[in-house]
Amino acid sequence: MATLSLTCSLPLQPPSSSQSQSRKLIDSIVSTSFQYSSSSTTSSNGSLKPIVVDGDPPTFVSAPGRRIVAVGDLHGDLDKARCALETAGVLSSDGQSLWIGGETVLVQLGDILDRGEDELAILSLLKSLDIQAKAHGGAVFQVNGNHETMNVEGDYRYVDNGALDECIDFLEYLDKCERNWEEAFVSWCAVSARWKQDRKVSQNYWAQWNLVKQQKGVIARSILMRPGGPLACELARHGVVLKVDDWLFCHGGLLPHHVAYGLERLNREVSRWMKGPSEEDDSPQIPFIATRGYDSIVWNRLYSRDGPELENYQLEQVQYLLEETLQSVGAKAMVVGHTPQPMGVNCKYNCRIWRIDVGMSRGVLDSSPEVLEIRDNKARAIRSTRDRSSELQVADYT
């Protein structure tokens, strides 16, 4: 079994001029390879060294020799989520929700919530896979996106009506599990389809009470997701930025002033806000730098913009900020979601940034699932259908 322990965090000190420069740039614009040498990744007995996690929520992860796969925005589409995880080679295709990834490290980049009706089922599936992965020397990590922080804040503008129904169903299921959160949450992915089917059978009864039903769904969602609610506390287990070996993962994009603020500090403050009032802090504030501003980690689109909207000099400035950010945390490349890429998973700026949100959810672009695989010091984008997968782009880093 993989061992998880705490170690000293990395020193993060970018130049002091970075914050103003990155803000000014954002205001102004409101397959290749990467092979690098590494030390031994195996222990004396030939097995991979254990995964080491630093930070609570996890911020820095050492996963020597392991295959890493990253999955972008899922937005409540359980079928597409399963297809993406099958493409990543970590989920069995027999419907049994079994981890088959061995010692693989899976990273999901947030925006599981909104625009689809099976949000809790996806969260439950990832939780179940994480438990299984740890038993095989692997791990599952998530980073929260803007739609997770919006829902904890009570912003339900993009919530699907089916997702409100799922909240009602889950609270009833939680009661059946005698309020045992872990039991109910982990097993929900296995029973949610049956609950949904039972609900559809009774839809005729609810037809004349749609408004009442919707209000009930909003109340159920608030119980689960308000700061201190059980689902908000579950989301609080995950940060908004994660560094696995030489790779940075976040939803929108990391900038130099985020690094100067402190990555562990950012994750800790978002987590504390999601957990709600406590004896140590009776009124935790939402961390603006991480969750609210247009240049916050979960909202930033600087690295995902393309085309005629950017002049050459602006592209050069974006690349400078990216390089400065990566250098300040000792990373080779950054992986982001948030902004759908109609052309599929792709890299830019000498493949120092990978954009992996392909809008796979039926609530977004309904595109074919794609994932990013990092293996043997190579990154590659993979697209899949249920019948076959194909390699799209490869990057070796030297």
Side-chain angles (χ1 to χ4, degrees), residues 209-230:
W209 302 101
N210 281 338
L211 181 58
V212 174
K213 183 186 179 186
Q214 187 176 40
Q215 290 174 336
K216 184 179 179 182
V218 170
I219 293 171
R221 195 173 188 85
S222 178
I223 291 171
L224 289 168
M225 295 192 184
R226 65 192 176 197

Side-chain angles (χ1 to χ4, degrees), residues 203-277:
Q203 275 183 343
N204 290 336
Y205 169 79
W206 278 107
Q208 57 185 327
W209 302 101
N210 281 338
L211 181 58
V212 174
K213 183 186 179 186
Q214 187 176 40
Q215 290 174 336
K216 184 179 179 182
V218 170
I219 293 171
R221 195 173 188 85
S222 178
I223 291 171
L224 289 168
M225 295 192 184
R226 65 192 176 197
L231 189 57
C233 290
E234 193 68 40
L235 295 174
R237 297 172 185 253
H238 315 299
V240 291
V241 60
L242 180 74
K243 183 172 183 281
V244 182
D245 296 335
D246 293 317
W247 291 77
L248 270 176
F249 299 89
C250 56
H251 183 66
L254 199 69
L255 293 167
H257 67 278
H258 300 142
V259 180
Y261 192 82
L263 304 191
E264 286 187 279
R265 179 184 176 188
L266 285 165
N267 281 343
R268 188 168 54 249
E269 290 182 357
V270 174
S271 178
R272 185 182 300 130
W273 163 68
M274 287 183 166
K275 290 177 180 177

Side-chain angles (χ1 to χ4, degrees), residues 34-330:
F34 200 106
Q35 182 101 21
Y36 57 94
S37 61
S38 60
S39 58
S40 174
T41 60
T42 58
S43 60
S44 58
N45 63 7
S47 62
L48 290 178
K49 292 181 179 179
I51 295 174
V52 178
V53 178
D54 181 6
D56 182 18
T59 305
F60 300 103
V61 176
S62 173
R66 282 167 174 80
R67 170 179 178 262
I68 303 170
V69 287
V71 177
D73 305 32
L74 298 174
H75 281 301
D77 193 326
L78 180 60
D79 185 60
K80 291 293 185 71
R82 286 185 176 277
C83 185
L85 295 172
E86 290 171 17
T87 301
V90 298
L91 178 68
S92 62
S93 58
D94 58 4
Q96 298 301 307
S97 301
L98 299 177
W99 174 264
I100 61 170
E103 294 177 303
T104 296
V105 172
L106 168 67
V107 183
Q108 198 284 320
L109 290 184
D111 273 13
I112 292 171
L113 301 182
D114 290 340
R115 305 188 191 279
E117 61 180 16
D118 293 308
E119 310 160 313
L120 275 64
I122 297 174
L123 289 168
S124 170
L125 175 60
L126 291 173
K127 178 81 168 185
S128 173
L129 290 177
D130 183 37
I131 294 170
Q132 297 177 60
K134 287 176 179 175
H136 292 87
V140 176
F141 295 99
Q142 296 169 237
V143 294
N144 288 313
N146 60 304
H147 283 269
E148 280 73 46
T149 61
M150 288 167 66
N151 275 270
V152 175
E153 197 176 0
D155 185 344
Y156 301 157
R157 283 177 293 168
Y158 302 99
V159 177
D160 187 274
N161 284 336
L164 295 178
D165 294 337
E166 188 187 28
C167 290
I168 297 172
D169 291 345
F170 179 76
L171 284 182
E172 293 181 11
Y173 180 65
L174 183 59
D175 285 337
K176 288 183 177 293
C177 293
E178 298 180 345
R179 311 297 296 177
N180 185 322
W181 173 262
E182 289 295 320
E183 176 187 341
F185 187 61
V186 173
S187 62
W188 178 245
C189 63
V191 302
S192 62
R194 187 179 74 243
W195 279 74
K196 183 193 291 188
Q197 183 60 38
D198 291 345
R199 182 206 319 144
K200 289 182 177 179
V201 170
S202 64
Q203 275 183 343
N204 290 336
Y205 169 79
W206 278 107
Q208 57 185 327
W209 302 101
N210 281 338
L211 181 58
V212 174
K213 183 186 179 186
Q214 187 176 40
Q215 290 174 336
K216 184 179 179 182
V218 170
I219 293 171
R221 195 173 188 85
S222 178
I223 291 171
L224 289 168
M225 295 192 184
R226 65 192 176 197
L231 189 57
C233 290
E234 193 68 40
L235 295 174
R237 297 172 185 253
H238 315 299
V240 291
V241 60
L242 180 74
K243 183 172 183 281
V244 182
D245 296 335
D246 293 317
W247 291 77
L248 270 176
F249 299 89
C250 56
H251 183 66
L254 199 69
L255 293 167
H257 67 278
H258 300 142
V259 180
Y261 192 82
L263 304 191
E264 286 187 279
R265 179 184 176 188
L266 285 165
N267 281 343
R268 188 168 54 249
E269 290 182 357
V270 174
S271 178
R272 185 182 300 130
W273 163 68
M274 287 183 166
K275 290 177 180 177
S278 64
E279 292 182 1
E280 294 79 17
D281 189 351
D282 60 2
S283 183
Q285 299 299 307
I286 182 170
F288 191 91
I289 188 174
T291 64
R292 292 288 294 276
Y294 57 86
D295 61 348
S296 66
I297 296 174
V298 301
W299 281 102
N300 178 25
R301 299 186 192 272
L302 187 64
Y303 303 130
S304 299
R305 294 184 183 277
D306 277 324
E309 59 185 307
L310 293 181
E311 302 290 343
N312 286 338
Y313 79 93
Q314 293 174 319
L315 291 171
E316 291 174 359
Q317 289 177 303
V318 172
Q319 184 166 5
Y320 174 81
L321 288 175
L322 174 61
E323 294 288 346
E324 184 178 345
T325 302
L326 294 174
Q327 183 178 5
S328 65
V329 296

